[in-house]
Amino acid sequence: MKNTVITFQEMKKKGEKISMLTAYDYSTAKLIDSAGVNSILVGDSLGNVVLGYPDTISVTMEDMIHHGAAVSRGAENALVVIDMPFMSYQTSVYDAVVNAGRLMKEGRGQAVKLEGGVEVCPQIKAITQAGIPVVAHLGMTPQSINVFGGFKSQAKELEPAKKLIRDALAVEEAGAFAVTLECVPAKLATIVSNLLKVPTIGIGAGAGCDGQVLVYADMLAMFSDFSPKFVKHFADIGPAMKAGFEAYDKEVKAGTYPAEEHTYAMQDAVYDEIVKYVDTLMK
Ligand code: KIV
């Protein structure tokens, strides 16, 4: 059954945990969807994982639309949330609504996610009023990496923790239907999860959140540029892929691949005629 914002609300009410993973392409989205994961985030971690940037700053609207549309085609039941990239909503409320609209119309997402608290509440309100569900993202917000001075856990001290609580209440009030909490102390995330009526989706925020999200390439050990403390490898696909690539390379170079069973046959009579034809060409 298709997961919607209502599914998220109901799961929170019933105390059922929400699962979310990132994806950036059709085939991965199909696999995640068929595994029963509730939601797929087309994260702007696309920048790191797929495009090879050191951060998410350079990711464009076109990137998000292109990959969002591919994921949407593969997600039958999972709720597809598409990240609003850096500077697609910070500049103005108008830009935020127009760009959120493009992610829905062209990217075929069912919701958008944007980073920030009180300062982006006007954007959250306007996007929501335009009929587009919004996930807010608090804590370690990667688009602000240059303000944080790196990928660092957030809200560990009293004042930043109080600010995070105020931000969470404000984004809920502005209309966000879920709040991502990234790299914040587990105890704080539990407090926020208990305070909010909408679900929290944690990443590096402990088990007290209403749901969890991970970058799929992290949890499958496919991405190795950096590995945050909260990442667990649920399968060793990265090493398995590398072993497969090495075996292919070896067989191609040894001439053992492709074998007979990987080739298309031709009738002997046709082959004989071709040989004759080539002979005539060469004369
Ligand atoms: O871009 C992303 O993948 C995200 C998750 C880390 C929550 O925002």
Side-chain angles (χ1 to χ4, degrees), residues 22 24 41 43-45 83 113 137 180 182 203 213 215:
T22 69
Y24 318 99
L41 170 67
D44 62 353
S45 50
D83 258 346
K113 177 165 81 58
H137 185 157
T180 300
E182 179 163 357
I203 172 160
V213 57
V215 169

Side-chain angles (χ1 to χ4, degrees), residues 154-208:
Q154 299 295 314
K156 289 198 281 201
E157 304 300 329
L158 180 61
E159 282 313 316
K162 283 184 180 166
K163 179 177 175 347
L164 186 126
I165 292 171
R166 288 195 299 273
D167 280 338
L169 290 168
V171 295
E172 178 178 70
E173 176 69 26
F177 78 94
V179 179
T180 300
L181 297 175
E182 179 163 357
C183 287
V184 298
K187 282 182 179 167
L188 177 62
T190 303
I191 290 175
V192 172
S193 304
N194 291 336
L195 269 177
L196 296 188
K197 287 185 263 319
V198 298
T200 57
I201 310 292
I203 172 160

Side-chain angles (χ1 to χ4, degrees), residues 89 114-121 124 136-139 141 144 167 171:
Y89 58 94
L114 53 80
E115 298 181 4
V118 171
E119 69 283 6
V120 291
C121 279
I124 294 175
H137 185 157
L138 299 174
T141 44
S144 301
D167 280 338
V171 295

Side-chain angles (χ1 to χ4, degrees), residues 32-48:
I32 293 173
D33 191 80
S34 65
V37 173
N38 296 110
S39 179
I40 298 180
L41 170 67
V42 188
D44 62 353
S45 50
L46 167 80
N48 307 96

